[in-house]
mmCIF file of all heavy atoms in Angstrom:
data_model
loop_
_atom_site.group_PDB
_atom_site.id
_atom_site.type_symbol
_atom_site.label_atom_id
_atom_site.label_comp_id
_atom_site.label_asym_id
_atom_site.label_seq_id
_atom_site.Cartn_x
_atom_site.Cartn_y
_atom_site.Cartn_z
ATOM 1 N N GLY A 73 -131.300 21.175 -30.205
ATOM 2 C CA GLY A 73 -130.684 22.471 -30.466
ATOM 3 C C GLY A 73 -129.234 22.238 -30.825
ATOM 4 O O GLY A 73 -128.524 21.534 -30.100
ATOM 5 N N ARG A 95 -129.931 11.584 -29.600
ATOM 6 C CA ARG A 95 -130.643 12.058 -28.404
ATOM 7 C C ARG A 95 -132.130 12.226 -28.701
ATOM 8 O O ARG A 95 -132.973 11.906 -27.867
ATOM 9 C CB ARG A 95 -130.014 13.363 -27.910
ATOM 10 C CG ARG A 95 -130.497 13.748 -26.532
ATOM 11 C CD ARG A 95 -129.642 14.840 -25.935
ATOM 12 N NE ARG A 95 -129.730 16.087 -26.680
ATOM 13 C CZ ARG A 95 -128.965 17.155 -26.457
ATOM 14 N NH1 ARG A 95 -128.026 17.115 -25.514
ATOM 15 N NH2 ARG A 95 -129.091 18.259 -27.158
ATOM 16 N N ARG A 188 -137.348 20.472 -11.588
ATOM 17 C CA ARG A 188 -137.678 20.525 -13.020
ATOM 18 C C ARG A 188 -138.023 19.145 -13.553
ATOM 19 O O ARG A 188 -138.690 19.001 -14.562
ATOM 20 C CB ARG A 188 -136.558 21.159 -13.867
ATOM 21 C CG ARG A 188 -135.258 20.418 -13.870
ATOM 22 C CD ARG A 188 -134.254 20.996 -14.852
ATOM 23 N NE ARG A 188 -134.499 20.558 -16.217
ATOM 24 C CZ ARG A 188 -134.213 19.350 -16.687
ATOM 25 N NH1 ARG A 188 -133.713 18.421 -15.894
ATOM 26 N NH2 ARG A 188 -134.422 19.060 -17.943
ATOM 27 N N LYS A 198 -135.000 15.382 -23.924
ATOM 28 C CA LYS A 198 -135.165 16.806 -24.241
ATOM 29 C C LYS A 198 -136.598 17.048 -24.720
ATOM 30 O O LYS A 198 -136.874 17.032 -25.920
ATOM 31 C CB LYS A 198 -134.136 17.200 -25.309
ATOM 32 C CG LYS A 198 -133.767 18.675 -25.274
ATOM 33 C CD LYS A 198 -132.531 18.935 -26.120
ATOM 34 C CE LYS A 198 -132.170 20.401 -26.150
ATOM 35 N NZ LYS A 198 -131.483 20.867 -24.934
ATOM 36 N N TYR A 203 -139.338 22.024 -19.714
ATOM 37 C CA TYR A 203 -139.140 23.473 -19.771
ATOM 38 C C TYR A 203 -140.342 24.204 -19.198
ATOM 39 O O TYR A 203 -140.196 25.191 -18.476
ATOM 40 C CB TYR A 203 -138.828 23.898 -21.219
ATOM 41 C CG TYR A 203 -137.372 23.630 -21.534
ATOM 42 C CD1 TYR A 203 -136.909 22.343 -21.765
ATOM 43 C CD2 TYR A 203 -136.452 24.660 -21.513
ATOM 44 C CE1 TYR A 203 -135.569 22.092 -22.003
ATOM 45 C CE2 TYR A 203 -135.110 24.427 -21.753
ATOM 46 C CZ TYR A 203 -134.674 23.135 -22.000
ATOM 47 O OH TYR A 203 -133.343 22.898 -22.221
ATOM 48 N N GLU A 234 -128.630 20.039 -12.417
ATOM 49 C CA GLU A 234 -128.122 20.904 -13.485
ATOM 50 C C GLU A 234 -128.719 22.298 -13.368
ATOM 51 O O GLU A 234 -129.527 22.568 -12.484
ATOM 52 C CB GLU A 234 -128.336 20.289 -14.877
ATOM 53 C CG GLU A 234 -129.762 20.057 -15.274
ATOM 54 C CD GLU A 234 -129.876 19.525 -16.708
ATOM 55 O OE1 GLU A 234 -129.137 19.973 -17.599
ATOM 56 O OE2 GLU A 234 -130.747 18.666 -16.930
ATOM 57 N N GLY A 236 -131.057 24.701 -14.936
ATOM 58 C CA GLY A 236 -132.102 24.957 -15.921
ATOM 59 C C GLY A 236 -131.785 24.306 -17.254
ATOM 60 O O GLY A 236 -131.788 23.080 -17.353
ATOM 61 N N PRO A 237 -131.439 25.076 -18.274
ATOM 62 C CA PRO A 237 -131.206 24.504 -19.599
ATOM 63 C C PRO A 237 -129.754 24.155 -19.902
ATOM 64 O O PRO A 237 -129.391 23.976 -21.054
ATOM 65 C CB PRO A 237 -131.690 25.623 -20.522
ATOM 66 C CG PRO A 237 -131.369 26.864 -19.758
ATOM 67 C CD PRO A 237 -131.442 26.531 -18.305
ATOM 68 N N ALA A 238 -128.908 24.037 -18.909
ATOM 69 C CA ALA A 238 -127.492 23.735 -19.159
ATOM 70 C C ALA A 238 -126.978 22.784 -18.083
ATOM 71 O O ALA A 238 -127.475 22.778 -16.960
ATOM 72 C CB ALA A 238 -126.670 25.026 -19.153
ATOM 73 N N ASN A 239 -125.961 22.001 -18.404
ATOM 74 C CA ASN A 239 -125.319 21.119 -17.424
ATOM 75 C C ASN A 239 -124.384 21.925 -16.526
ATOM 76 O O ASN A 239 -124.008 23.057 -16.849
ATOM 77 C CB ASN A 239 -124.513 20.020 -18.120
ATOM 78 C CG ASN A 239 -125.326 18.796 -18.556
ATOM 79 O OD1 ASN A 239 -124.779 17.807 -19.027
ATOM 80 N ND2 ASN A 239 -126.634 18.849 -18.414
ATOM 81 N N LEU A 257 -130.164 16.144 -18.353
ATOM 82 C CA LEU A 257 -130.119 15.910 -19.797
ATOM 83 C C LEU A 257 -128.659 15.727 -20.205
ATOM 84 O O LEU A 257 -127.827 16.601 -19.910
ATOM 85 C CB LEU A 257 -130.715 17.146 -20.492
ATOM 86 C CG LEU A 257 -131.179 17.105 -21.939
ATOM 87 C CD1 LEU A 257 -130.050 17.384 -22.909
ATOM 88 C CD2 LEU A 257 -131.891 15.818 -22.313
ATOM 89 N N PRO A 258 -128.318 14.634 -20.847
ATOM 90 C CA PRO A 258 -126.921 14.453 -21.255
ATOM 91 C C PRO A 258 -126.529 15.488 -22.328
ATOM 92 O O PRO A 258 -126.912 15.376 -23.489
ATOM 93 C CB PRO A 258 -126.891 13.026 -21.821
ATOM 94 C CG PRO A 258 -128.148 12.375 -21.312
ATOM 95 C CD PRO A 258 -129.154 13.473 -21.176
ATOM 96 N N SER A 259 -125.791 16.485 -21.902
ATOM 97 C CA SER A 259 -125.383 17.583 -22.782
ATOM 98 C C SER A 259 -124.253 17.135 -23.698
ATOM 99 O O SER A 259 -123.265 16.541 -23.248
ATOM 100 C CB SER A 259 -124.919 18.756 -21.907
ATOM 101 O OG SER A 259 -123.989 19.572 -22.592
ATOM 102 N N ILE A 260 -124.383 17.457 -24.964
ATOM 103 C CA ILE A 260 -123.345 17.107 -25.944
ATOM 104 C C ILE A 260 -122.127 18.016 -25.743
ATOM 105 O O ILE A 260 -120.985 17.610 -25.935
ATOM 106 C CB ILE A 260 -123.928 17.192 -27.375
ATOM 107 C CG1 ILE A 260 -125.049 16.144 -27.516
ATOM 108 C CG2 ILE A 260 -122.847 16.984 -28.440
ATOM 109 C CD1 ILE A 260 -125.984 16.355 -28.688
ATOM 110 N N THR A 261 -122.377 19.242 -25.293
ATOM 111 C CA THR A 261 -121.269 20.147 -24.967
ATOM 112 C C THR A 261 -120.461 19.572 -23.801
ATOM 113 O O THR A 261 -119.225 19.520 -23.859
ATOM 114 C CB THR A 261 -121.820 21.538 -24.578
ATOM 115 O OG1 THR A 261 -122.764 21.948 -25.566
ATOM 116 C CG2 THR A 261 -120.710 22.560 -24.451
ATOM 117 N N ASN A 262 -121.166 19.122 -22.762
ATOM 118 C CA ASN A 262 -120.496 18.553 -21.597
ATOM 119 C C ASN A 262 -119.687 17.311 -22.000
ATOM 120 O O ASN A 262 -118.515 17.166 -21.611
ATOM 121 C CB ASN A 262 -121.558 18.198 -20.535
ATOM 122 C CG ASN A 262 -120.964 17.852 -19.177
ATOM 123 O OD1 ASN A 262 -119.756 17.770 -19.009
ATOM 124 N ND2 ASN A 262 -121.821 17.639 -18.204
ATOM 125 N N CYS A 295 -122.775 24.549 -18.947
ATOM 126 C CA CYS A 295 -122.375 24.293 -20.331
ATOM 127 C C CYS A 295 -123.533 23.793 -21.169
ATOM 128 O O CYS A 295 -124.391 23.061 -20.704
ATOM 129 C CB CYS A 295 -121.187 23.330 -20.383
ATOM 130 S SG CYS A 295 -121.505 21.710 -19.679
ATOM 131 N N GLY A 296 -123.540 24.231 -22.423
ATOM 132 C CA GLY A 296 -124.581 23.848 -23.372
ATOM 133 C C GLY A 296 -124.307 24.516 -24.709
ATOM 134 O O GLY A 296 -123.412 25.360 -24.810
ATOM 135 N N THR A 297 -125.085 24.145 -25.710
ATOM 136 C CA THR A 297 -124.891 24.678 -27.057
ATOM 137 C C THR A 297 -124.957 26.203 -27.127
ATOM 138 O O THR A 297 -124.202 26.833 -27.864
ATOM 139 C CB THR A 297 -125.960 24.069 -28.000
ATOM 140 O OG1 THR A 297 -125.693 22.677 -28.091
ATOM 141 C CG2 THR A 297 -125.944 24.685 -29.382
HETATM 142 C C1 LIG B 416 -130.292 20.980 -24.271
HETATM 143 C C2 LIG B 416 -130.033 20.936 -22.813
HETATM 144 C C3 LIG B 416 -128.734 21.024 -22.277
HETATM 145 C C4 LIG B 416 -127.512 21.269 -23.121
HETATM 146 O O1 LIG B 416 -127.234 20.265 -24.032
HETATM 147 P P1 LIG B 416 -126.244 20.527 -25.254
HETATM 148 O O2 LIG B 416 -126.352 19.286 -26.060
HETATM 149 O O3 LIG B 416 -124.908 20.733 -24.699
HETATM 150 O O4 LIG B 416 -126.759 21.748 -25.940
HETATM 151 C C5 LIG B 416 -128.586 20.885 -20.909
HETATM 152 N N1 LIG B 416 -129.656 20.720 -20.095
HETATM 153 C C6 LIG B 416 -130.909 20.650 -20.572
HETATM 154 C C7 LIG B 416 -132.025 20.460 -19.622
HETATM 155 C C8 LIG B 416 -131.142 20.748 -21.939
HETATM 156 O O5 LIG B 416 -132.394 20.691 -22.396
#
Side-chain angles (χ1 to χ4, degrees):
R95 192 167 65 188
R188 63 173 280 285
K198 206 167 178 78
Y203 280 75
E234 62 176 320
N239 276 186
L257 197 274
S259 154
I260 297 163
T261 311
N262 191 355
C295 61
T297 294

